[in-house]
Amino acid sequence: MSKIIAMANQKGGVGKTTSAINLAACLAVAEKRTLLVDLDPQGNASVGLGLDKSQHEDGNIYHALIGKEPLKKAIYKTELPHLDVAPSDNNLIGAEIELVSVLAREAKLKNALATVADDYDFIIIDCPPSLGLLTLNAFNAANGFIVPLQTEYYAMEGLAQLMNTVRLIRSSLNPNLAMEGILLTMFDSRVSLHKQVSEEIRNHFGSDVFETIIPRNVKLSESPSFGKPVILYDIESTGSKAYLSLAKELLLRERTKAAQKLEEKTLPDVPRIERLDQQLQSQLN
């Protein structure tokens, strides 16, 4: 069963799509079977992985959501052996309107992903910059979510609304939705404000903030225009190294969680052991 992570922030221009593309690519480089779902009608994640819109006009995530095609027919290979993408285009704008009167409309993506979940280790969902029906579908389908947060003055703007939406989804639709972490993006160490905002976010959210910080980087900005993740465009760039570090940190967190769950399952039944010990003591006496 795959780990499904929504990359979400209703504030635009925070590096959400860049992070979705490059985290997915770095997980694939680590030989994790990875699917990137482009749930943004702008389709930037699809273009950023080298897909031409003419390639998927008749089969993309829009068709899977409205039930016209199974998701497997809307998945395409990329340059990286372990990375696939379910692309989108501007038809997705109409999906929210088309699904308004549909029964269980908030579960369309969840149901679609269930058909391919066993084929992947990770599924990364690039959400649109809004808290509409598409993002609701992403949160309902996901096990966790990452919030890219720009280290600027208005970084916290909208975050409270996002977290309130998550609380509502947990209480009514998906109680297992967990925060994977807050990802600081577009960081410039030469700007004192960026350092200040970074410190304030870490002080407030503590371990919920990833140790990895994504810097401002020319290669990160250039790579989408070449249809490549940054590790294929310039693996030596600081942007490439940052996303490789993020993938490593995420995998380490997943390994730690798995170890904790295994420990909980194999933990001895303490009350039963105490009773047994008492029985032995009484027999010895």
Side-chain angles (χ1 to χ4, degrees):
M1 185 62 72
S2 56
K3 173 78 175 185
I4 303 174
I5 300 174
M7 191 75 69
N9 191 332
Q10 78 270 28
K11 192 173 185 293
V14 298
K16 177 181 55 60
T17 296
T18 298
S19 295
I21 291 172
N22 289 294
L23 174 58
C26 289
L27 289 170
V29 166
E31 298 188 348
K32 299 296 181 183
R33 299 168 303 161
T34 307
L35 172 66
L36 176 61
V37 177
D38 188 352
L39 207 61
D40 189 338
Q42 296 176 84
N44 290 337
S46 309
V47 175
L49 284 176
L51 267 74
D52 190 303
K53 289 186 178 181
S54 62
Q55 288 180 259
H56 54 80
E57 286 179 343
D58 299 322
N60 56 50
I61 194 65
Y62 163 75
H63 301 97
L65 284 177
I66 65 170
K68 189 175 180 180
E69 294 285 355
L71 182 57
K72 287 189 177 182
K73 288 192 175 181
I75 291 175
Y76 300 80
K77 298 291 182 184
T78 71
E79 280 188 77
L80 288 168
H82 297 286
L83 179 60
D84 295 343
V85 59
S88 77
D89 58 23
N90 55 17
N91 284 321
L92 199 56
I93 297 171
E96 294 199 64
I97 300 171
E98 291 178 54
L99 293 174
V100 164
S101 59
V102 175
L103 187 65
R105 58 187 179 274
E106 72 284 345
K108 292 300 179 181
L109 181 61
K110 180 179 181 178
N111 294 337
L113 291 180
T115 64
V116 300
D118 292 334
D119 299 333
Y120 298 97
D121 300 306
F122 285 91
I123 297 176
I124 307 296
I125 306 171
D126 182 32
C127 298
S130 67
L131 293 177
L133 185 57
L134 293 175
T135 300
L136 178 64
N137 263 267
F139 280 150
N140 191 28
N143 313 117
F145 64 99
I146 293 174
V147 184
L149 212 59
Q150 189 177 358
T151 51
E152 295 283 1
Y153 183 73
Y154 292 111
M156 306 291 283
E157 187 179 285
L159 187 57
Q161 186 182 355
L162 176 65
M163 297 310 295
N164 186 53
T165 300
V166 169
R167 279 191 290 271
L168 291 172
I169 290 170
R170 281 175 179 160
S171 63
S172 59
L173 293 173
N174 185 3
N176 298 318
L177 181 63
M179 179 189 276
E180 298 298 323
I182 292 172
L183 177 64
L184 300 178
T185 62
M186 302 182 181
F187 180 78
D188 189 337
S189 59
R190 299 167 298 179
V191 180
S192 58
L193 176 63
H194 287 203
K195 293 179 181 178
Q196 183 183 343
V197 171
S198 175
E199 288 174 7
E200 287 180 0
I201 292 170
R202 288 195 184 280
N203 289 336
H204 187 76
F205 291 100
S207 60
D208 284 334
V209 183
F210 283 104
E211 289 297 324
T212 302
I213 296 178
I214 308 301
R216 283 192 182 276
N217 180 244
V218 173
K219 300 299 182 182
L220 272 177
S221 302
E222 290 177 350
S223 58
S225 63
F226 290 87
K228 295 178 182 291
V230 70
I231 54 169
L232 291 182
Y233 181 64
D234 186 349
I235 197 168
E236 294 298 325
S237 68
T238 57
S240 179
K241 291 174 182 177
Y243 279 109
L244 284 167
S245 174
L246 175 63
K248 183 179 178 181
E249 188 175 352
L250 180 64
L251 290 172
L252 184 59
R253 288 189 179 199
E254 287 301 304
R255 200 174 301 132
T256 302
K257 288 177 189 175
Q260 287 172 345
K261 286 182 181 178
L262 182 61
E263 187 178 339
E264 289 170 3
K265 286 181 180 179
T266 58
L267 204 63
D269 185 344
V270 175
R272 185 172 59 82
I273 291 173
E274 288 176 346
R275 289 194 300 271
L276 181 59
D277 184 56
Q278 289 171 0
Q279 288 173 8
L280 289 170
Q281 289 294 336
S282 63
Q283 288 174 11
L284 289 171
N285 294 333

